[in-house]
Amino acid sequence: MYQAIRSALHTTLEKDPLAMVFGEDVSFGGVFRCTMGLADSFGEERVFNTPLTEQGIAGFGIGLATMGHTAVAELQFADYIFPAFDQIVNDAKYRFRSGGMFNCGSLTFRSPCSAVGHGGLYHSQSPEAYFLQASGVKVVVPRSPIQAKGLLLAAIRDPNPVLFLEPKILYRSAVEQVPTGDYELPLSSAEILREGADLTIVSYGPPLYTIETALHHLKHPSEELAPLIPESLRNLSVELIDLRTIVPYDIETVVKSVNKTGRCIVVHEAPQSGSVASELSAEIQQRCFLRLEAPVKRLTGWDTPFGLAYEKFYLPDHIRILDGIVETMRY
Amino acid sequence: MEVMTMLPVLDQILNASQRQGRLSFYMTSYGEEGVVVGSAAAWENDDEVFAQYREVGVLLWRNYPLSSLMAQCFSTKSDAATLGRQMPVHYGSKEHHFHTISSPLATQFPQAAGAAYALKRTPGRENSCVVCYAGEGATSEGDFHAGLNMASVLGGALVFVVRNNGFAISTPTSQQYAGDGIAARGPGYGIDTIRVDGNDPLAVFLACKEARRRAVEGKKPVLVEAMTYRVGHHSTSDDSSAYRSLSAVESVKKLDSPLFRLRRYLESLPKPRWSTERDNAAKDSAKRAILREFSKAEKDKKPPLAAMFGDVFARVPEGAEREGARGGLERPQREQKEELKRLIEKWGDTPGWKKELAKFDGGKEAVSKW
């Protein structure tokens, strides 16, 4: 996936003379290799290192964007967005507060997010929910290389500031044939990954793969799992939705699906309280009340900081997803 | 001198009207007229200004219409700067290259650094400069450090002007820093720096003129610390006698006024360029012009209520509207606007809402057309 992101940045720099890519350590290629070779191809004035200051990077990006330049800023880990929180939440409201006279819409923040197996507290976080209330900033999370390139190009060209969160565990593990040309995937549009009639599962980023694993086990349980999974659920028809854009999210696709299936599970890595799952659950119960046959289940990280040694039991893994499916279907 | 004379007249009228409850909030520039107007005179009119909030003198220098100024303070339908969304004195004007003010202190420092970098790469603007104003209190924010360091490392024509007026609300500088003011920090970032008597408008002008020259020629930042004194209260929500003696303020007003100093100088020239008559005439004409726009703005309607939901996100271009983003609004704003419409149609004639709705352009009828 890192190559797909690099390709999107290359396309941007090639086609948009006002575009710049900057952040901590992006010049030599970035700590995740997402900016490899870009400084050589486009020059140090367009692809450059900044001092180590997230609030500085965010403010600098806003300043570039208010002057109409395309700013693609990297924040090295999503865990380190918080020093820039004030700039992103208070000052990216440039358009609203200036009556539309000024804006920083040509600004995109890229930041690696989510668990990586051994990231502990500060290399594992999924901070998307903090931005649910930051009206004016869009938040996008891709699941794969094709998605990453298409959504990133759309994010960079979107006339609003966008926070583009890249699940770093997918940088090297997610591999697929990505079109070399220029293409975009729409923001604020969820994608139905598989159609189903009995249960809707909504997620984004890495848990989508865990859900696929869980669904495989549901259909073909191992000897150890079989006694815990009712026979009647073997051929459960599950509709799986990738939300893709977190703010503003595509409630229409989710509601249509839940109205059809009557049951819904939301899965993500971030903690539960005040989360995307909580937000979606509230919307779903409001819009699908008469169709719901079970409570909307939230399978998320626990409300604790991300402890290093506990990752297996912190994240919603395939076991928790199987349990969620069984509990929701037997309700 | 005309602009410097006008500034306290404007402040006096708007400050007094806030005391009478006719305006929700105001901040005066008393005592700092020399810093603000002296520096404004040193810039080109298309230099990009990032201000804190006590720099309306720059806008007056650039002939910002008094009508726009009043529209912003009174949140009228003519308030193009903020559409009634921001508190008074949060001015902005693209035409005057004055970026819209925001309340969070010091956020403008790294933004100015970004804008300066952008100018460097904008064809035709290579000789333009960014100007970033702030008070000495704001320099304690992390964004001051971030902004100066980024500007120094990454370059771009930029002049930082720090108004050191002795106080950040109630906090005296002795509780703000223990070093030698703000100027002493500039060299630590590798930034050319000068400290200037902020109550001497000519000294401010000359220092800023040279700062700008170095910034534009060297494509680098320059720091100017202007020493002055905040003669007025911090804002209309502040009574500064709670933390400093009125006699100290009075003595500064009498002994070290930037207005009197410039006036005396102009009067003492071999061919005097200012006089009591001219002073009175300038004050009178300023007062008349301000009061004229003041009474117009005070009577004006607020913007249409629909403006509350606009510009959260960019307007979706005609014909390219997605399912979720009709009417130029993203789904949440569109749905919530519809909900407010329902509420207003049901409850709009109840006393509290009826009175308030009548203040908005188009009133309740405009809402029913949403």
Side-chain angles (χ1 to χ4, degrees):
Chain A
M1 191 172 84
Y2 75 95
Q3 286 171 330
I5 287 162
R6 187 197 162 282
S7 170
L9 296 174
H10 193 279
T11 302
T12 299
L13 288 161
E14 196 171 54
K15 293 202 168 173
D16 178 358
L18 289 177
M20 277 168 272
V21 172
F22 55 94
E24 295 158 13
D25 304 300
V26 305
S27 183
F28 87 109
V31 296
F32 289 106
R33 300 285 177 269
C34 292
T35 52
M36 281 288 278
L38 296 179
D40 291 337
S41 305
F42 299 100
E44 284 285 343
E45 195 180 84
R46 299 184 66 199
V47 181
F48 52 93
N49 287 343
T50 65
L52 207 165
T53 164
E54 286 76 16
Q55 62 202 90
I57 293 168
F60 190 87
I62 291 173
L64 282 176
T66 62
M67 301 299 295
H69 292 241
T70 305
V72 186
E74 178 176 308
L75 298 159
Q76 204 162 73
F77 285 89
D79 311 67
Y80 307 134
I81 282 175
F82 303 108
F85 202 63
D86 181 39
Q87 286 284 354
I88 298 173
V89 172
N90 277 328
D91 273 58
K93 292 176 175 161
Y94 230 110
R95 187 187 303 272
F96 182 82
R97 76 171 191 232
S98 67
M101 195 184 269
F102 291 94
N103 71 80
C104 60
S106 55
L107 169 63
T108 306
F109 296 109
R110 291 176 44 241
S111 192
C113 70
S114 305
V116 71
H118 51 270
L121 274 76
Y122 307 116
H123 298 83
S124 307
Q125 292 182 61
S126 302
E128 59 274 9
Y130 289 103
F131 298 94
L132 282 172
Q133 295 200 348
S135 311
V137 180
K138 294 189 176 181
V139 182
V140 177
V141 183
R143 68 169 186 277
S144 73
I146 291 174
Q147 296 290 313
K149 181 172 174 183
L151 289 170
L152 180 54
L153 281 169
I156 290 168
R157 293 160 183 171
D158 189 89
N160 296 286
V162 181
L163 175 58
F164 193 81
L165 295 171
E166 300 163 1
K168 59 184 163 295
I169 199 162
L170 304 178
Y171 275 142
R172 286 168 181 282
S173 63
V175 178
E176 62 188 349
Q177 291 293 326
V178 177
T180 50
D182 187 352
Y183 67 96
E184 287 179 37
L185 294 170
L187 302 190
S188 287
S189 162
E191 186 182 8
I192 298 169
L193 300 184
R194 60 158 82 192
E195 302 216 10
D198 304 328
L199 169 68
T200 301
I201 303 184
V202 184
S203 189
Y204 50 89
L208 289 164
Y209 298 92
T210 322
I211 294 163
E212 291 284 3
T213 307
L215 294 179
H216 173 78
H217 287 300
L218 186 71
K219 203 170 176 69
H220 308 288
S222 62
E223 238 172 84
E224 296 84 355
L225 286 172
L228 294 161
I229 299 170
E231 285 276 352
S232 60
L233 295 182
R234 297 288 145 85
N235 289 313
L236 188 73
S237 168
V238 173
E239 184 143 301
L240 180 57
I241 297 176
D242 178 2
L243 204 56
R244 301 200 292 191
T245 297
I246 311 301
V247 184
Y249 55 86
D250 174 7
I251 195 67
E252 282 86 359
T253 300
V254 175
V255 164
K256 203 169 155 199
S257 174
V258 178
N259 275 337
K260 177 174 69 175
T261 62
R263 290 179 161 86
C264 183
I265 299 174
V266 186
V267 190
H268 60 59
E269 291 188 7
Q272 187 158 96
S273 296
S275 67
V276 173
S278 300
E279 167 68 17
L280 277 175
S281 304
E283 287 288 331
I284 291 166
Q285 70 85 20
Q286 235 179 6
R287 292 164 195 257
C288 311
F289 184 69
L290 294 174
R291 303 286 303 164
L292 281 174
E293 291 171 48
V296 178
K297 196 159 198 76
R298 295 171 293 168
L299 298 177
T300 67
W302 309 117
D303 287 346
T304 72
F306 203 113
L308 177 69
Y310 313 99
E311 185 161 321
K312 173 68 181 163
F313 291 99
Y314 179 84
L315 295 176
D317 71 344
H318 71 280
I319 300 288
R320 274 181 66 195
I321 293 165
L322 280 171
D323 179 77
I325 293 171
V326 173
E327 294 290 313
T328 302
M329 294 314 296
R330 291 178 65 183
Y331 185 84
Chain B
M1 191 66 217
E2 275 85 358
V3 175
M4 276 185 62
T5 307
M6 179 185 244
L7 194 43
V9 178
L10 174 79
D11 281 346
Q12 200 269 326
I13 292 170
L14 289 181
N15 195 61
S17 74
Q18 195 285 332
R19 302 327 286 173
Q20 297 162 0
R22 297 157 79 180
L23 197 64
S24 63
F25 178 79
Y26 194 67
M27 301 178 105
T28 67
S29 303
Y30 292 140
E32 298 178 48
E33 297 91 347
V35 178
V36 178
V37 183
S39 62
W43 322 129
E44 294 295 322
N45 277 343
D46 65 348
D47 285 345
E48 303 287 331
V49 175
F50 287 77
Q52 179 166 300
Y53 48 56
R54 219 181 287 285
E55 296 92 357
V56 66
V58 178
L59 280 169
L60 293 181
W61 180 265
R62 291 185 177 183
N63 292 317
Y64 185 62
L66 287 170
S67 55
S68 303
L69 202 144
M70 295 297 166
Q72 202 286 321
C73 284
F74 281 102
S75 293
T76 75
K77 62 180 162 60
S78 308
D79 170 26
T82 65
L83 276 186
R85 291 167 185 157
Q86 287 214 79
M87 288 172 76
V89 313
H90 289 55
Y91 310 108
S93 170
K94 196 151 196 159
E95 188 192 335
H96 298 83
H97 299 271
F98 192 94
H99 289 244
T100 306
I101 289 168
S102 74
S103 307
L105 288 183
T107 52
Q108 72 271 26
F109 281 112
Q111 291 167 15
Y117 195 89
L119 280 184
K120 199 163 64 159
R121 301 196 66 246
T122 307
R125 299 291 308 271
E126 296 86 351
N127 293 319
S128 283
C129 188
V130 173
V131 182
C132 178
Y133 287 95
E136 91 286 349
T139 67
S140 295
E141 293 283 357
D143 276 336
F144 170 78
H145 165 66
L148 266 70
N149 197 36
M150 295 212 52
S152 180
V153 172
L154 297 168
L158 170 54
V159 180
F160 293 109
V161 180
V162 175
R163 300 175 286 96
N164 189 338
N165 63 18
F167 288 90
I169 307 187
S170 75
T171 306
T173 53
S174 61
Q175 292 162 22
Q176 198 66 246
Y177 51 75
D180 181 9
I182 314 309
R185 299 183 205 161
Y189 291 106
I191 293 179
D192 288 355
T193 301
I194 187 167
R195 176 175 284 153
V196 63
D197 180 350
N199 292 343
D200 180 346
L202 296 177
V204 173
F205 171 76
L206 290 172
C208 288
K209 194 92 184 155
E210 174 62 11
R212 189 189 182 283
R213 186 190 68 76
R214 287 180 182 225
V216 171
E217 285 175 12
K219 294 283 172 282
K220 62 179 187 176
V222 179
L223 172 63
V224 179
E225 180 183 25
M227 307 307 287
T228 180
Y229 190 84
R230 196 194 77 214
V231 169
H233 302 296
H234 163 68
S235 73
T236 49
S237 306
D238 173 50
D239 173 9
S240 65
S241 67
Y243 50 82
R244 63 180 186 184
S245 77
L246 283 175
S247 60
V249 177
E250 284 308 312
S251 72
V252 173
K253 268 163 113 175
K254 282 205 187 79
L255 295 175
D256 196 13
S257 155
L259 282 155
F260 289 145
R261 282 171 66 173
L262 185 61
R263 197 177 139 184
R264 290 279 176 273
Y265 168 72
L266 293 174
E267 285 170 353
S268 70
L269 292 172
K271 262 175 90 181
R273 304 277 299 273
W274 202 253
S275 63
T276 306
E277 295 74 44
R278 220 171 140 183
D279 201 62
N280 288 339
K283 280 181 191 153
D284 276 354
S285 91
K287 197 171 173 181
R288 272 199 306 276
I290 292 164
L291 284 175
R292 191 168 56 235
E293 296 303 333
F294 178 97
S295 37
K296 267 195 240 164
E298 196 181 22
K299 285 196 273 303
D300 212 354
K301 293 277 187 190
K302 294 182 184 186
L305 192 53
M308 178 162 72
F309 293 98
D311 299 318
V312 173
F313 293 101
R315 288 189 73 84
V316 182
E318 292 287 331
E321 297 194 352
R322 293 189 315 278
E323 176 65 18
R326 287 189 295 272
L329 304 178
E330 293 290 339
R331 192 260 313 158
Q333 290 74 32
R334 174 173 53 78
E335 285 183 358
Q336 288 164 22
K337 190 176 164 193
E338 281 162 15
E339 172 66 357
L340 182 61
K341 179 187 179 189
R342 183 189 71 80
L343 286 163
I344 284 172
E345 282 174 345
K346 185 172 172 185
W347 301 91
D349 289 328
T350 55
W353 280 30
K354 189 175 184 177
K355 194 175 162 213
E356 193 62 19
L357 271 172
K359 296 177 189 169
F360 290 90
D361 192 29
K364 195 180 161 201
E365 284 86 73
V367 174
S368 63
K369 286 182 199 131
W370 286 0

